Amino acid sequence: MTSFNELPVVMKNEFKVNKAAVMTKRLRFESPAEEALLRFVQLEAHVMEAETNINTALLIMHNSHDCLKFVVNNDDEILGIVTTADLEGRKVLAIANKMDKQRQELTVKDIMVPIEYLGTLKYSDICHAKVGDLVKTLQQQGAQHLLVIAGDAMIGVVSSAYLSRVTDTALNIQEKAQNFSDIFNVVHNHQAL
């Protein structure tokens, strides 16, 4: 077995704590939109396998402090996204009921928002926009998240939850139906989107 060495630990009184280093940067609606983009430095850090149990997924996301993960299949193709809000909300029970399963039997694939339901923004458009423009776009689209691409590469995501947090504003985003099935379920089952 390889031998390991203990690293030196610095005590708190040996350095200054910079408040900005531990706080999320606060933005205004007039701030450049680029500052509100959640970038993917390494996509691998932001993925979760489709067959992951939702309880396991929630634990992983809480431990990694991620509010969003991309859902991938065995071939590493992106199928959709899942958020902690999705895993903790009423949506889980509604889907479990609809699929006639127990909550603990659900996987991330059952809860995710399919990639084809997500709108996409061009990075070149974000470079010339303000945070308020992102908020208005999310509201008009009825979307909690929008993907961001540069050329044909996905480089990040715009998240309503993140924008709400960095602007200290409760954003009112009414989700829109994505297909006839969504409309039918809302009308006949009185479910929220």
Side-chain angles (χ1 to χ4, degrees):
M1 181 172 190
T2 305
S3 172
F4 297 100
N5 298 311
E6 181 180 359
L7 299 174
V9 175
V10 177
M11 300 310 294
K12 182 179 167 252
N13 61 357
E14 296 178 30
F15 63 93
K16 291 182 180 180
V17 177
N18 181 351
K19 179 180 172 188
V22 296
M23 294 188 66
T24 302
K25 182 177 181 178
R26 297 292 173 214
L27 299 176
R28 298 180 331 275
F29 288 123
E30 297 78 23
S31 299
E34 190 174 8
E35 293 180 20
L37 172 63
L38 295 171
R39 295 177 178 274
F40 302 131
V41 178
Q42 293 181 320
L43 185 59
E44 294 81 24
H46 301 283
V47 298
M48 183 171 289
E49 293 182 13
E51 298 307 317
T52 305
N53 175 278
I54 65 166
N55 292 331
T56 302
L58 194 55
L59 182 64
I60 290 169
M61 292 174 81
H62 280 301
N63 288 342
S64 64
H65 303 289
D66 279 340
C67 61
L68 177 142
K69 293 272 190 189
F70 281 91
V71 180
V72 296
N73 63 15
N74 292 335
D75 297 325
D76 288 331
E77 296 169 327
I78 297 176
L79 303 176
I81 63 168
V82 67
T83 66
T84 52
D86 292 335
L87 295 171
E88 294 174 330
R90 295 184 314 176
K91 179 179 180 179
V92 173
L93 296 178
I95 290 172
N97 204 15
K98 182 179 178 182
M99 295 178 75
D100 198 28
K101 290 184 175 182
Q102 297 294 315
R103 183 190 184 286
Q104 62 270 16
E105 295 175 299
L106 296 176
T107 65
V108 170
K109 186 176 180 181
D110 297 326
I111 306 299
M112 73 177 189
V113 176
I115 197 81
E116 59 268 16
Y117 289 1
L118 297 172
T120 304
L121 296 172
K122 293 180 183 175
Y123 178 69
S124 57
D125 291 332
I126 289 177
C127 290
H128 306 290
K130 303 289 183 198
V131 169
D133 299 324
L134 295 178
V135 171
K136 181 162 185 139
T137 303
L138 288 166
Q139 289 172 332
Q140 295 294 80
Q141 294 296 311
Q144 297 296 320
H145 303 93
L146 293 169
L147 302 175
V148 179
I149 58 168
D152 61 354
M154 184 171 33
I155 63 165
V157 67
V158 173
S159 164
S160 64
Y162 180 73
L163 288 176
S164 181
R165 189 166 56 246
V166 298
T167 61
D168 285 327
T169 306
L171 301 180
N172 183 20
I173 298 179
Q174 299 296 321
E175 290 187 55
K176 293 182 180 176
Q178 300 294 331
N179 54 43
F180 180 76
S181 176
D182 289 343
I183 296 168
F184 182 85
N185 286 335
V186 169
V187 171
H188 291 284
N189 299 329
H190 306 291
Q191 294 177 349
L193 286 174

